[in-house]
Amino acid sequence: MRGGVRALGRGVAGVGVVVTLAVAGWLMWVLPGPQMGAVLGFGPVDGVVSVSRCYEAADAEGYATGTDCTGWYTPRGPGEAAHEIVLDTAADEYRRGTEVEVRTARGRAYELSGTAVFNFGSATGLLLVPFLTLAAWLFACARGGEFANGDGYFLLSLVGLFAAVVLAAAAGILVGIGTAVF
């Protein structure tokens, strides 16, 4: 009897690991995934933005989020009409008339910039760390067939959240230096 309950507990925890990782992957795809892909340059260039003006952008709470630019977007591919677009977290405060190659995601244009890498990298890390920690704890529960002590996993989660922000900042700084030099 006890072996059957233990096997059931392992199965439930194993399913929990799969579900947790599936939800984390889905949230990554829905929330910061497309923007992060556009910022990092996955895929071909979608078009060119001819900048009309740049300004300091702010989030909903009023904190500065970097430089945004508005301009006229001309797509590379046929079938899409040219239109006005926002270049989100631009790498530089461009002068009027500057043409910037961009990739688009969710109605905005993106280019490789240190600020954008930090913003979307930290969002990605802060989203993934809790799910990965929960999946690790559930895996430990499945392996042992009973509830594992979660204290170490909580500490691991806190360290992971801190590391995600530090790694995003380091990546943003390196990209900022790289775009300034090249």
Side-chain angles (χ1 to χ4, degrees):
M1 179 71 173
R2 184 169 169 91
V5 171
R6 185 173 238 168
L8 179 65
R10 284 183 175 162
V12 169
V15 169
V17 169
V18 172
V19 168
T20 300
L21 293 176
V23 168
W26 177 76
L27 283 174
M28 280 298 303
W29 179 254
V30 169
L31 296 175
Q35 293 95 329
M36 188 68 170
V39 166
L40 293 177
F42 294 140
V45 172
D46 292 332
V48 175
V49 172
S50 179
V51 175
S52 57
R53 74 179 185 96
C54 291
Y55 54 92
E56 257 324 292
D59 63 8
E61 287 84 28
Y63 296 108
T65 60
T67 302
D68 285 0
C69 299
T70 57
W72 195 253
Y73 171 69
T74 307
R76 288 248 165 114
E80 188 179 353
H83 60 278
E84 195 165 6
I85 198 166
V86 174
L87 174 57
D88 200 344
T89 55
D92 196 8
E93 192 166 330
Y94 296 111
R95 293 175 34 185
R96 182 182 186 94
T98 304
E99 292 192 349
V100 181
E101 289 187 337
V102 296
R103 289 168 178 80
T104 58
R106 299 209 171 115
R108 288 182 166 243
Y110 296 93
E111 68 171 336
L112 183 63
S113 76
T115 306
V117 168
F118 172 71
N119 288 345
F120 293 114
S122 60
T124 299
L126 294 176
L127 179 70
L128 282 180
V129 166
F131 282 100
L132 294 177
T133 306
L134 176 61
W137 177 74
L138 286 171
F139 183 76
C141 292
R143 189 181 50 197
E146 57 190 34
F147 284 111
N149 186 353
D151 293 344
Y153 293 97
F154 178 72
L155 181 61
L156 179 68
S157 178
L158 293 177
V159 169
L161 291 171
F162 179 74
V165 173
V166 169
L167 288 174
I173 289 168
L174 290 174
V175 167
I177 291 170
T179 55
V181 171
F182 300 107

